[in-house]
Amino acid sequence: MSRAALLCAAGLAAALVYPLLVPNYLVNIGMLVFFTAFIGQSWNIAGGFAGQTSFGHVVFFGTGAYTSTILQVTYGWNPWLAWPAATAMGGFVGWMIAVLSFRAGLRGSYFALITLAFAEVFRILANSVPFTKGGLGMLIKADQRPINFQFKDPIWIYYLALLLCLVSVVIAWHLTRSRFGARLVAIRENEDAARALGIDVFAEKVKVLTLSGAMCAAGGTFYAQKYLYIDPSIAFGVDKSVEMLLVSMVGGAGTIFGPLIGSFTLMGINEATRWLASVVPALKNVQPLSLIVYGIMLILIVARLPNGLMGLFRRGPARA
Amino acid sequence: MLEVRDISKAFGGLKAVDHASLDVKQGEIVGLIGPNGAGKTTLFATIAGFHRPDAGTVAFDGKAITGLAPHRICAAGMVRTFQITQPFAGISVRENIMVGAYFRTADRHLAAREAETVAAMVGMDDQLDRRGADLTVAGRKRLELARALATGPRLLLLDEVMAGLNPTEIVEIVGVIKDIRAAGVTILLIEHVMQAVTSLAERVYVLNQGRMIAEGTPAAIAENPQVVEAYLGPGAAKVLRA
Ligand SMILES: Nc1ncnc2c1ncn2[C@@H]1O[C@H](COP(=O)(O)OP(=O)(O)O)[C@@H](O)[C@H]1O
Ligand SMILES: [Mg+2]
């Protein structure tokens, strides 16, 4: 086995044993790390690998959360069945946004801004149409049985998040070794050259956004089942979009483990600053301290480490 | 093999290409020359599907391909390179060429092997692991050639692959182009410098201010007073003859 494979196996073993050894609140934090890495990876596949930066990825997250919740609460679906439906709906919204934006020839920051606009439109719609119950939000009836996608013991939701994260890592790994992935990277690096070399740039971009949207929507359902409540600003709020982008950029956009490393790092900062604020009274009023640290970190990374923290580990020539 | 008829393309009020026609037959190396701003690159881009022509038709192997998207034209067997080189800067030369090779196969190992073969053909086999961004001008020009070649074209449109190279590098790339032709690829070659073309092309077209002003053997073209004037300014032919 190569060193990298060995490291992965060891990491996985540690992740499997971890929740058996720590108190519940730490299990919960671990769950959040993997969950955020998962939705971060959904961003990374489009934004990192294919270079289609989005500022509004939450549009897929919210679509997933609302689709499964509505199917469940209003139409009585089992959430396990509603999950693939929500995933498909996220894929559809990704497809639709891609077709509309890329047909119109939007690239780069224009595309990023249009995704932000879509997310805002969806948030406002969720606030006003009757079937989402508007600003009141939607409550999923607590009934903690696995058949209901609800778990009494937090260890199960932890393992589920770990599984999602694993799946997303495998998808990213596959991208680094497949023609589809090579084409996405080509599109990111130079769209005109990609076109000249026979790549149907429009079709590939639509494909990757469909995939990314589907993944992110699966995360939305997961989130709704964990917290049993969603409202428009939770489901479509800009902070989730920023979080997905942030973990990828901090960890290393366009890398397999970037979102996971970024998610670990940000969770670490979160906990460290919370602890710091509790012991240093002067910092009590500087809230949220973690955001300030994120901001500084992002500036440093954009300026000094264009490949994120992964850039520190990468062997061979660095990518500028 | 390639029939371009009366292609026109304007940008705003500027007629970059004005009723230009040309033919390329299977197995030829054809030159397209003309002063800077003559419209050569625009004509190429229009043939290859990057611009939609305002008028005129392009046929490849007898089939109309006018206005098709570049990837469709690539699928038909014609591929262009860029005068201003467009490497995939953040990835290796191998990966750059593999993007081209993936056009013919979805298999990673086959694509990697094909990339190595093509790299050897253009003399880049010692640079496979360098990043696109780290290449010299000559390296970038070769990479343009290699990537295009990896798609397996039957007709290659080369846009000023010799510009910016020193004499030694030009000799080398002329050799590479001859090898490519010997391997059965037909070539249409833009050069700004006339001399570069004479050693390669059997026939040369001259474009000036968007119009095709002459066509013939390199020797005949060099004598053509209209061509001399296009390059050196009005009256130049008379002065040279005197
Ligand atoms: N995308 C474009 N938009 C506007 N003008 C252009 C564009 N591309 C080329 N031109 C103009 O068209 C003319 C022909 O350019 P080009 O085809 O690049 O000439 P050449 O390759 O022969 O040097 C020039 O005047 C150039 O400025
Ligand atoms: Mg030109």
Side-chain angles (χ1 to χ4, degrees):
Chain A
M1 259 206 292
S2 73
R3 228 185 72 201
L6 218 60
L7 222 81
C8 289
L12 182 58
L16 285 171
V17 179
Y18 167 84
L20 304 172
L21 308 176
V22 299
N24 275 350
Y25 95 95
L26 282 178
V27 174
N28 203 38
I29 284 180
M31 182 278 292
L32 277 177
V33 166
F34 292 124
F35 167 71
T36 307
F38 171 72
I39 57 173
Q41 192 69 270
S42 83
W43 184 94
N44 188 40
I45 280 168
F49 282 92
Q52 305 306 306
T53 305
S54 128
F55 292 160
H57 236 60
V58 77
V59 70
F60 309 123
F61 177 87
T63 297
Y66 267 108
T67 302
S68 59
T69 304
I70 290 169
L71 286 176
Q72 196 181 166
V73 172
T74 315
Y75 298 100
W77 283 41
N78 179 282
W80 291 110
L81 280 178
W83 202 10
T87 305
M89 188 60 101
F92 171 73
V93 171
W95 175 86
M96 181 193 71
I97 290 178
V99 167
L100 292 175
S101 324
F102 299 137
R103 267 277 172 265
L106 298 179
R107 287 196 198 184
S109 38
Y110 293 98
F111 173 71
L113 288 176
I114 210 75
T115 58
L116 180 62
F118 268 108
E120 280 300 286
V121 167
F122 273 57
R123 189 178 61 79
I124 292 163
L125 282 177
N127 241 321
S128 40
V129 292
F131 57 85
T132 60
K133 311 261 193 297
L136 281 177
M138 296 184 82
L139 212 57
I140 297 170
K141 217 174 97 214
D143 181 358
Q144 291 185 320
R145 286 179 299 159
I147 183 77
N148 287 329
F149 200 151
Q150 296 179 30
F151 306 92
K152 222 177 241 130
D153 188 342
I155 201 165
W156 295 113
I157 199 98
Y158 168 93
Y159 281 133
L160 193 56
L162 177 62
L163 181 68
L164 286 180
C165 180
L166 270 179
V167 168
S168 75
V169 164
V170 168
I171 291 174
W173 175 78
H174 178 72
L175 287 184
T176 64
R177 305 173 55 86
S178 65
R179 170 161 78 176
F180 179 47
R183 288 180 165 171
L184 296 182
V185 170
I187 290 167
R188 173 189 77 203
E189 295 289 320
N190 191 321
E191 217 172 295
D192 278 336
R195 287 205 290 159
L197 296 174
I199 296 175
D200 186 346
V201 169
F202 174 77
E204 301 295 332
K205 289 208 271 195
V206 169
K207 258 191 257 174
V208 77
L209 233 73
T210 306
L211 172 64
S212 175
M215 281 173 68
C216 198
T221 297
F222 177 93
Y223 185 95
Q225 292 305 126
K226 160 72 185 153
Y227 295 102
L228 302 179
Y229 174 75
I230 52 170
D231 69 19
S233 58
I234 291 173
F236 293 111
V238 74
D239 42 338
K240 269 261 164 337
S241 291
V242 173
E243 194 174 302
M244 289 182 242
L245 177 151
L246 205 62
V247 294
S248 299
M249 301 267 288
V250 165
T255 65
I256 300 173
F257 289 106
L260 181 56
I261 289 176
S263 177
F264 258 112
T265 309
L266 293 197
M267 185 57 79
I269 291 173
N270 243 342
E271 294 306 302
T273 49
R274 193 176 309 173
W275 172 80
L276 208 65
S278 70
V279 294
V280 183
L283 289 175
K284 269 243 172 60
N285 296 323
V286 191
Q287 286 299 347
L289 192 58
S290 57
L291 277 185
I292 298 170
V293 181
Y294 291 171
I296 294 171
M297 202 151 160
L298 192 62
I299 291 169
L300 285 177
I301 279 175
V302 167
R304 292 259 149 239
L305 276 179
N307 294 305
L309 294 175
M310 276 299 282
L312 294 175
F313 306 120
R314 187 184 288 277
R315 285 168 296 166
R319 295 194 343 197
Chain B
M1 182 175 220
L2 177 69
E3 291 155 29
V4 177
R5 291 287 170 271
D6 283 322
I7 287 288
S8 295
K9 176 73 197 173
F11 297 111
L14 175 85
K15 282 196 163 176
V17 177
D18 190 4
H19 294 283
S21 300
L22 64 77
D23 284 276
V24 179
K25 293 193 220 30
Q26 178 119 30
E28 280 189 307
I29 297 184
V30 175
L32 174 60
I33 65 172
N36 259 329
K40 304 182 293 297
T41 298
T42 305
L43 180 57
F44 253 34
T46 311
I47 294 172
F50 280 74
H51 298 313
R52 187 176 283 278
D54 302 330
T57 59
V58 182
F60 186 63
D61 282 339
K63 283 194 251 347
I65 57 165
T66 323
L68 288 188
H71 68 271
R72 305 279 298 278
I73 291 177
C74 186
M78 175 161 75
V79 60
R80 74 173 287 202
T81 66
F82 292 90
Q83 175 181 356
I84 300 163
T85 55
Q86 313 276 352
F88 302 126
I91 59 178
S92 68
V93 166
R94 179 187 277 103
E95 291 166 316
N96 264 270
I97 306 175
M98 278 175 75
V99 173
Y102 270 132
F103 187 70
R104 285 188 289 172
T105 173
D107 183 282
R108 194 164 71 98
H109 297 288
L110 281 184
R113 198 162 346 130
E114 177 65 18
E116 279 165 27
T117 310
V118 171
M121 197 163 175
V122 304
M124 294 196 92
D125 35 346
D126 53 344
Q127 304 189 53
L128 279 166
D129 294 314
R130 288 182 79 170
R131 272 179 359 130
D134 297 337
L135 296 174
T136 60
V137 176
R140 286 161 166 250
K141 296 277 184 184
R142 281 177 198 234
L143 182 57
E144 282 284 328
L145 204 58
R147 276 191 327 202
L149 208 53
T151 65
R154 285 177 299 126
L155 175 61
L156 200 50
L157 308 181
L158 302 181
D159 196 346
E160 302 211 13
V161 283
M162 298 177 217
L165 304 190
N166 67 36
T168 330
E169 292 165 342
I170 289 182
V171 170
E172 284 171 3
I173 207 145
V174 164
V176 169
I177 293 171
K178 282 182 174 159
D179 290 346
I180 293 172
R181 196 258 293 265
V185 182
T186 308
I187 292 167
L188 176 58
L189 180 80
I190 290 184
E191 281 305 328
H192 165 60
V193 186
M194 214 186 297
Q195 284 78 351
V197 175
T198 49
S199 60
L200 275 170
E202 286 101 35
R203 285 192 305 124
V204 177
Y205 286 90
V206 186
L207 197 64
N208 187 35
Q209 297 181 349
R211 272 193 281 269
M212 213 57 99
I213 57 168
E215 184 249 319
T217 62
I221 289 293
E223 308 262 281
N224 185 319
Q226 262 189 300
V227 176
V228 175
E229 295 203 351
Y231 269 86
L232 299 177
K238 216 178 282 168
V239 175
L240 283 185
R241 230 176 294 135

